[in-house]
Amino acid sequence: MTDDESDEQFYRDTESVAHPKLTDRQLAMLAPLGTKRIVRRGEIIFKAGQREVPLTIVLQGEVEAFETREDEEQILGIAEPREYMGEVGMLTGTASLASARGRSEEAEILQVPAKAVRQALAELPGVSEMLVRSFIMRRQRLERDKEFAGLRILSHESSREGRQLDDFLDKNHIPHRLITFESEHGKQLCSRLHLASQDLPALITGNGMPLRRPSLREAARIAGLLRAPVGEDESEVFCDLVIIGAGPAGLGAAVYAASEGLKTIVLESYAPGGQAGSSSLIENFFGFPTGIGGGDLTYSAQLQAHRFGASFSMPSRALTMSFSSGEYRVSLQSDGCHAILRAKCAIIATGAQYHRLDAEGREDFESNGVYYAATARESRLCKGSTVVVTGAGNSAGQAAMYLSEHAAKVVLVIRGAGLSSTMSSYLSRRVEAKENIEMLCHTEIRKMMGGKLLEAVELENTVTHERRTVQTPAVFSMIGAKPCTDWLPPEIERDEKGFVKTGAAVANSPAWKGAERIPGALETSIPGVFAAGDVRSGSVKRCAAAVGEGGMAVEGVHDVLRTYA
C-alpha cells in the first residue's frame, strides 16, 4: 500500500469518529450554554489565528472551514445540520488553525463559548467523550493532510534557529510545515513575501503574514501557546497549586489536581512530555500491550488536564521561588509574565535532562546534528544514513530500535561492557538481534566534525584506545540524568547530585523544626512544597513511577490544605 492509499484508508476509517452527528439529547444539553445566530453565505464565523473560538453547531444549512494560502483557498471541511466546527484548540486555548464561514444561502448556528465548552467537557459526560474524541481525531487527520499548511517555517536548510523552531512547534503539537529556502517553493515564497536571506527563519502565520526571525516566545504567542495567567493590568495571580514542569509527574499531578477541584496552573519551559515525550515508543507502560509513543501518551495527558480545567503556560520558565507565611505561601516569578504567581502549594516536577557529551566540537552542532530525542521529526532528518546513538538505558535502546527502521545503520555507543545491567531484557535482546545495529562497548565519542551540519564523529575504545571515524549526520545523546534544579532557592534542600530531598531526609530542616506534623513522603524542606518524578532524590526513574508520584504529591497537597477535613 502506497502512502497515498494508506492516507485514504485512514480518512475513511476515521470519518465517523471525526464527524459525528449530535443527538437530540446532546443538542438539548448544549443549547443552554450557547446563543443562536443566523449567518449568510460567505459571512465569517471565526478566523485563523483567533483564540477562544466558540464551538459552532449547525442547526440548519451548512458552514465550511477553509484555509487561505497565497490568495488560494482550500476547503477543509463542511458541517451540515447536527454537525459542528471545533477541534483540540478549544481544549488547549491555542489559536484556530482555520477560518469558518457560512456556506449555504442562510444557516442557523448555535455558538457555545470556549470556556463553556471546557466546562461541559468536565461536567457533561453525555457529550464530553464524543467531543474530545472528535477533536483529537480531527487534529490527527489535519496533521496527515499534505495539502494543509497551517503555520509555515521558511528557513535555510542548515539553520539551527529554523530547526529549533520546527522542533518547538512539533513538540507542542502545532501543525506546521518546514520549507527550505533552497527549494523552488521556498524561493517563490521569499520573493512573494519580500523576504531577504537575513530575514530567515521566518514564521508565516495563518493570515499569510511573515514574522521575521521570531523567538520561541513570539512563535508561542502566534500559536496561542503562551497564555499569561493574568491580565495586563494585574500584578498578582492566585491559585491553589502551581506545578513547575509538565513531564509525566507534572502532567499526572495536573490531571489529579484539576479533576479534584484545585485551581491549578502548570508552567513548562519548552514543551510538555519531558524525557518520556521524546521517546518514540514506550512498551512497558501499564495498559498499552503494544506500546505507545511517548509524545502521544503525554499529549493525551495534557488534553486530559485541560479538560478538567488546568491552565498551562509555555514556554514559561520559573525564575525565582520564595516563601512566606499565610495562606498563599509560595511566590513564583516566571519569564514572560509581569505578575507574581502566588500559590497555596507547589509541586516541583522539572525532571532531569540528558548530560551533554564531553566531545570536542559538540557545541557547534547542537540541534544541527546533536539531538536528545528520537521522534518522527528526527528520523526524517537522517533517513537512509548512518546514525550514532550513545547510551545504554531504555531510552537509548528505544531510540536505536526506532531509528533502525529509517536509517541505513545505527551505531550504538556504550561506555560500559554491555546492556544487561542497564536496559530492560526484552529491549536489549531486540537491540542485539537487530542486523543494522552495531554495538560498540567501552567506547566514547571524542570529537565531532563538519561544516554547518554534522558530518562525522571520532570514537575511541577506552580499553584499547583505538580510534575510528564514523560518517554521520546525527548523534542521539541519551546518557545520564542531570536534575533541573539550578533555579531553586537554597531553602529547597538537594542531595550531592542536585536532586530534591523529600520526606524523612528533610525532617530536621529548619522549616520543619517545631512543626506540628512530619513532612509527607514527597514533601520538601519547605512545608507545602512537594517534589515528584525524576527531579526527586531517590525516585524510581520510570514513566509510570513519575505519574504515580504526581498523584501522590496531590494527595499531600490535599492534606496540607485540609481539602477533605
Side-chain angles (χ1 to χ4, degrees), residues 283 389 391-404 410-414 418-420 423-441:
E283 291 194 72
V389 176
N394 279 7
S395 295
Q398 289 158 354
M401 289 299 299
Y402 178 70
L403 293 168
S404 70
V410 177
V411 178
L412 183 59
V413 175
I414 305 165
L419 303 174
S420 60
M423 189 179 293
S424 296
S425 59
Y426 81 90
L427 188 55
S428 64
R429 290 195 300 269
R430 291 183 189 176
V431 170
E432 291 163 355
K434 190 68 173 178
E435 291 184 358
N436 65 333
I437 296 180
E438 178 186 5
M439 289 174 47
L440 298 179
C441 300

Side-chain angles (χ1 to χ4, degrees), residues 214-269:
S215 65
L216 294 185
R217 182 166 297 281
E218 289 173 317
R221 179 179 54 79
I222 293 296
L225 290 167
L226 191 61
R227 304 191 58 172
V230 294
E232 292 183 2
D233 57 345
E234 294 180 273
S235 60
E236 295 179 316
V237 61
F238 297 88
C239 65
D240 296 320
L241 175 64
V242 60
I243 301 170
I244 307 100
L251 290 171
V255 169
Y256 287 113
S259 67
E260 292 164 8
L262 297 179
K263 183 180 179 182
T264 304
I265 295 177
V266 184
L267 304 180
E268 168 55 46
S269 63

Side-chain angles (χ1 to χ4, degrees), residues 263-330:
K263 183 180 179 182
T264 304
I265 295 177
V266 184
L267 304 180
E268 168 55 46
S269 63
Y270 189 73
Q275 288 189 1
S278 66
S279 176
S280 55
L281 185 67
I282 301 175
E283 291 194 72
N284 57 356
F285 193 85
F286 175 83
F288 294 91
T290 58
I292 183 171
D296 293 335
L297 176 68
T298 53
Y299 184 52
S300 296
Q302 182 192 2
L303 295 181
Q304 194 174 13
H306 272 294
R307 177 189 168 197
F308 287 121
S311 298
F312 285 75
S313 182
M314 51 203 155
S316 188
R317 185 183 303 275
L319 300 176
T320 64
M321 177 185 278
S322 58
F323 315 102
S324 62
S325 58
E327 185 179 12
Y328 294 91
R329 67 195 77 196
V330 181

